[in-house]
Amino acid sequence: MSLRLATFNVENLLTRFDFTGFRNQLRQDRVIKLFEVNSEGVYQQLEQARVIAAADDTRQMTALAIADADADILCLQEIDNMAALQAFEYGYLFRMVGNGYRQKFLVEGNDSRGIDVAVLMREETRDGQKIEVKDIRSHAMKTYRDFDLFDEDLALTNRTDDKIFKRDCLELDLLIGGRPLSLYVVHFKSMGNPRDGLDGRQSTLPLRRAEARAVRRIIEDRFGAGRTAKKSFAICGDMNDYQERVDVVGRRGAGYRFEHQPEAESALDVFSHDGFAENVVVRRQPLDRWTLYHARGPQEQHLCQLDYIWLSPALAAHNSGRVPEIIRNGQAYRTVFPPGQEVERYPRTGWDRPKASDHCPVVMTLDLP
């Protein structure tokens, strides 16, 4: 009996238009910047037309990436609400692929833009094992005080009664063919702007570290500290941090070289330092673990893993011979691929957009103990 588990940040699956760009140039799309727009009413009409025109190609590619992942259980990030999820599942996944996801779960979280984590599940696995949800819990309301996780680093930007999760930690208790699996779906704090002499990643590191500690505490409270290793659990999502990266050195036309670099510290060390959970993507080759391409000109570009499936020691050991897949066909053409990793892009993919997402789906076939 096998189960395909995947995670994917689909990026801004929204049902709302964002008109704040009329007054905030940082929120204004680059196409609109090419034109002189003096009326807010005209701006709103142009923004609506732009978004609608671009959305169909983008969501077709998003659906194709999900179809290629072919997951029984799909953990998603950046979903506006259940209405958006239902419209996308029916209008794109079901109509394009011919096979949708009947079970959908989303709880409104804490993100200031209203983007949430969600889970799509089939009623049965591909080999006919029933997928049952026994319980679902949101931890969006948990505060630093609840878990006694407040420290001096957090005190620079937070209060003890602030919520730990900047989106949520959605916990699901499942039975797959009668076998238990606990699933934790997250979307950690994004890397912000530089502050106090620190770059965006370092300045927000304390927030993600607290989120990782909170996820671990939730699991330990559930199963008992020191007794989690033999349980079947998975932590999935966009964690906005990495323990290694691949520096892309060079520029278009002159060629590139790729340098693997470990990070001195990461919020994800909370999971890995003592073997609490295994990042199964490290079973791939060092240059082939990335799920996102980051670039700010030729002087700053790298590939890194932001999207994770962490498995409990028991679940990882039971699947020791399996290697996760990374679906990169939805990447824009500007993404620089190391030699031998190039893939055929989806139809109508652009240099920068449209694309399925800046992120790549990560999927793994698992046998449950």
Side-chain angles (χ1 to χ4, degrees), residues 335-346:
T335 300
V336 182
F337 283 64
Q341 294 184 24
E342 282 286 352
V343 296
E344 182 179 354
R345 266 43 169 231
Y346 297 134

Side-chain angles (χ1 to χ4, degrees), residues 101-113:
Y101 291 84
R102 294 290 185 87
Q103 302 188 78
K104 307 176 186 67
F105 302 93
L106 180 150
V107 177
E108 296 292 335
N110 301 319
D111 187 88
S112 59
R113 292 191 295 136

